[in-house]
Structures are given as structure tokens and as C-alpha cells.
Amino acid sequence: MKPATAGGPYKVPRQHDSWRSITLAVAMHAVLLLFLWIGVSWQNNDPVEVQAEIWDMKVQEAAPTPPPQPEPEPEPQPQPVEKAPPPPPVEAPPVPKEDPEIALQRIKKKKQEEAEKLKQEKLEQARLQKEEDDRLAKLEAKKKAEQKAKDDAAQEQREKDLAEQKAQKKAAAEKLAKEKAEKVAREKAFAAEMSRITGSAAKGSTGTAAQSTGGRVDGGYAAAIKAKIKSNLVYSSEDDSLTASYVITQLPTGEIIGVRKVKGSGSTAYDNAIENAIAKSSPLPKKKDGTVERELTLDFKLKEMH
């Protein structure tokens, strides 16, 4: 053991026999436990039988003095266990100072890395923006192409409809011109035939001249004409109330040169069917004497045309 230096703080000397102290402490605790066990056992002993004798009160003898009881030995006090002194604090190793040049280079490198990262982020944003702009441009171009295709199809359909209308008008004009030409030809033929008949009548010929239209139409003659027209009629309907009236103009040969509707039936289909049947019935039947009525008016009732 080294004495404390003069003027310095007192230091607890370091114990080098720690195992000895631990062994001594364990032994003291064992002795203490033994004494405690003996004391408990002594207090729990069976009681000693005591005998007493009764004496006459007249005899006054002093009772024998009880023998002195031995005093219990004092329990040994456990010695305090000396605690080991705490280990001395470990001092942290000194941090080496960084070279200012190295620190400056490190900071410069970090700034360069951050600048490069920022540059890459801007490039990535620009790329994404360009892709989005390209996508929107393609979408707009697609919409324009679809709209143009629709407009072209609509224009083509309009042109087609206009061409069909022109063709229909042209066909209608050609049909009308043809009908007029046929009518003129029929009228010329009728005039020529009438001139021939009139000339023959002036020479005394009889039996072939046309009858006056102002006379009454023969019932049998009208029935024969209706019967022929009926045979060429193609029409079916449950409404038997339909009636149409037509004026028919014919040549002396019975050929029809004109059909004029006087009264319609109210059904365009029935009227067209009657007109087609009249046209198919040319030439019409003649009277028994071989003559014809130049103009005759006939009523076509559907219930009679079945």
C-alpha cells in the first residue's frame, strides 16, 4: 500500500485480493445463517415438565431460589462487504483534425455531385415533358385525321346524293320528253288515221268511222274493256270501297294514246295499279260493229275488279 502524497486527494488503495474478500464474505453469511437456525430451534424446543408441591400455609419456608438462566450469546454482526472501486473512465481518443485542403475538396465534390444530380433531374423532367407533348400531339393529329375522314365521307355522301338527284331529274326529264314525244307521235298518228277515215267517208265508205264521243257508251262494250283491264290488274286489298275514274283516249284501231285520271281513289297504289293495267290492255276491244269510242270514261270499283 502506497501512502497518499502530501497535498493530494485521498485515494482508496486498489485491492488485489478480491477473491479472498469474496470467500470471507461467504463464510460470514454461512455463520450468520447457522446462528439464526440454532436460535429458532432453541425457541421451538418442547416445554420442560414442572412439578409443584403444596405445603401448609402455616409452614412458612422460603421456596428454593430458581437456578440462574444462562444469558444468550450475542449474535455476531456481519462484516460489511467492501465494494470494488469503479473502473476509471475511459477517455475517448482525440479526434484528428481534418486537413483544410481535404475538407475543401470534399465540400467541392459534394457540391458537384448535387449539381450533377440537379442536372439529371432537369433532364429527366424535360424528357418526360417532351414525351407528354409528343403524346398530346399524336392524339390531336389522330382526332384531326378522324374528323377529316368523317368530313370527307360526309362530302362524298353529299356528292353522291347530289349525283343521284341529278340522275333522277335527268331520268324524269327524259321520261317526260319521251312521253311528250310519244304523245305527239300518237296524236300525229291519230290525226293521220282520222284524215284517212275522213277521206274514206267522203268517198262513201261506211262502217269504219269512229263514233261521236257525245253518245252513250254501250254497256256491253264498256264491260268488255273493263274485263280486259281487270285481267291485267295486279292489286290486292281488303278495302273494297276504293273507286277511281279515268278517261281513255284511243285510236280507231283500239290502241290507247292517252289516259287521264278524273277522280282518284285516295290510294296511290290502287291508282297506279289501274293505270298500269290500262296500259297493258292496249289495244282495247271494239264494238260488235268494229268501231270504237275515241274517248270513254270508265269507273273502276275495286269490289268489281276482283
Side-chain angles (χ1 to χ4, degrees), residues 119-230:
K119 180 180 178 181
Q120 293 297 331
E121 290 178 354
K122 289 182 178 180
L123 291 175
E124 182 66 16
Q125 291 178 357
R127 184 183 65 82
L128 294 176
Q129 185 64 35
K130 185 176 182 302
E131 290 180 355
E132 181 66 15
D133 294 341
D134 293 343
R135 187 183 68 82
L136 294 176
K138 290 180 180 179
L139 182 61
E140 185 67 21
K142 183 179 179 182
K143 289 182 179 179
K144 289 182 179 180
E146 291 177 353
Q147 185 63 36
K148 185 176 183 302
K150 290 181 180 179
D151 296 341
D152 293 344
Q155 182 64 24
E156 184 179 356
Q157 185 64 34
R158 286 194 294 268
E159 293 177 356
K160 184 178 179 181
D161 295 341
L162 183 60
E164 290 180 356
Q165 292 177 1
K166 289 181 178 180
Q168 291 176 358
K169 290 180 179 180
K170 183 178 179 181
E174 291 177 352
K175 182 180 179 180
L176 182 61
K178 184 178 179 181
E179 290 177 353
K180 288 182 177 180
E182 291 176 353
K183 183 178 180 181
V184 171
R186 286 195 297 269
E187 289 178 352
K188 288 182 178 181
F190 180 76
E193 183 66 17
M194 291 301 295
S195 298
R196 186 181 64 80
I197 294 173
T198 303
S200 299
K203 294 178 181 179
S205 175
T206 60
T208 60
Q211 300 295 324
S212 172
T213 59
R216 186 174 181 181
V217 179
D218 186 1
Y221 174 57
I225 293 176
K226 285 184 178 181
K228 187 171 183 180
I229 294 174
K230 177 182 176 181

Side-chain angles (χ1 to χ4, degrees), residues 20-300:
R20 182 179 177 183
S21 301
I22 294 172
T23 304
L24 180 60
V26 172
M28 292 299 297
H29 281 79
V31 171
L32 178 61
L33 291 175
L34 179 61
F35 275 105
L36 289 175
W37 180 77
I38 291 173
V40 173
S41 299
W42 178 74
Q43 291 180 1
N44 292 334
N45 288 336
D46 295 335
V48 180
E49 183 178 357
V50 179
Q51 296 181 358
E53 294 180 359
I54 303 174
W55 296 82
D56 190 5
M57 296 296 296
K58 295 178 179 180
V59 181
Q60 296 183 356
E61 291 182 358
T65 303
Q69 297 291 334
E71 295 181 359
E73 296 181 0
E75 296 180 359
Q77 297 294 330
Q79 295 182 0
V81 180
E82 296 181 359
K83 296 183 178 179
V90 180
E91 296 182 358
V95 179
K97 294 183 178 179
E98 188 177 7
D99 188 0
E101 185 67 23
I102 297 175
L104 183 61
Q105 291 180 0
R106 181 173 56 81
I107 295 172
K108 184 177 180 181
K109 183 178 179 181
K110 185 177 181 181
K111 289 183 177 180
Q112 290 177 354
E113 291 177 353
E114 291 178 353
E116 183 65 23
K117 183 178 179 181
L118 182 61
K119 180 180 178 181
Q120 293 297 331
E121 290 178 354
K122 289 182 178 180
L123 291 175
E124 182 66 16
Q125 291 178 357
R127 184 183 65 82
L128 294 176
Q129 185 64 35
K130 185 176 182 302
E131 290 180 355
E132 181 66 15
D133 294 341
D134 293 343
R135 187 183 68 82
L136 294 176
K138 290 180 180 179
L139 182 61
E140 185 67 21
K142 183 179 179 182
K143 289 182 179 179
K144 289 182 179 180
E146 291 177 353
Q147 185 63 36
K148 185 176 183 302
K150 290 181 180 179
D151 296 341
D152 293 344
Q155 182 64 24
E156 184 179 356
Q157 185 64 34
R158 286 194 294 268
E159 293 177 356
K160 184 178 179 181
D161 295 341
L162 183 60
E164 290 180 356
Q165 292 177 1
K166 289 181 178 180
Q168 291 176 358
K169 290 180 179 180
K170 183 178 179 181
E174 291 177 352
K175 182 180 179 180
L176 182 61
K178 184 178 179 181
E179 290 177 353
K180 288 182 177 180
E182 291 176 353
K183 183 178 180 181
V184 171
R186 286 195 297 269
E187 289 178 352
K188 288 182 178 181
F190 180 76
E193 183 66 17
M194 291 301 295
S195 298
R196 186 181 64 80
I197 294 173
T198 303
S200 299
K203 294 178 181 179
S205 175
T206 60
T208 60
Q211 300 295 324
S212 172
T213 59
R216 186 174 181 181
V217 179
D218 186 1
Y221 174 57
I225 293 176
K226 285 184 178 181
K228 187 171 183 180
I229 294 174
K230 177 182 176 181
S231 64
N232 293 316
L233 179 64
V234 180
Y235 183 78
S236 61
S237 175
E238 297 179 357
D239 187 5
D240 291 340
S241 64
L242 298 177
T243 301
S245 299
Y246 285 88
V247 174
I248 301 174
T249 303
Q250 58 181 335
L251 293 174
T253 58
E255 295 181 2
I256 299 174
I257 59 174
V259 178
R260 180 168 56 86
K261 181 167 61 176
V262 178
K263 180 182 178 182
S265 64
S267 172
T268 305
Y270 180 64
D271 294 347
N272 293 336
I274 291 294
E275 292 176 3
N276 292 333
I278 293 173
K280 291 179 180 179
S281 300
S282 181
L284 297 175
K286 298 180 181 180
K287 295 181 181 180
K288 294 180 179 179
D289 58 359
T291 60
V292 299
E293 293 287 344
R294 182 174 180 275
E295 288 185 354
L296 66 158
T297 303
L298 299 177
D299 296 332
F300 297 96

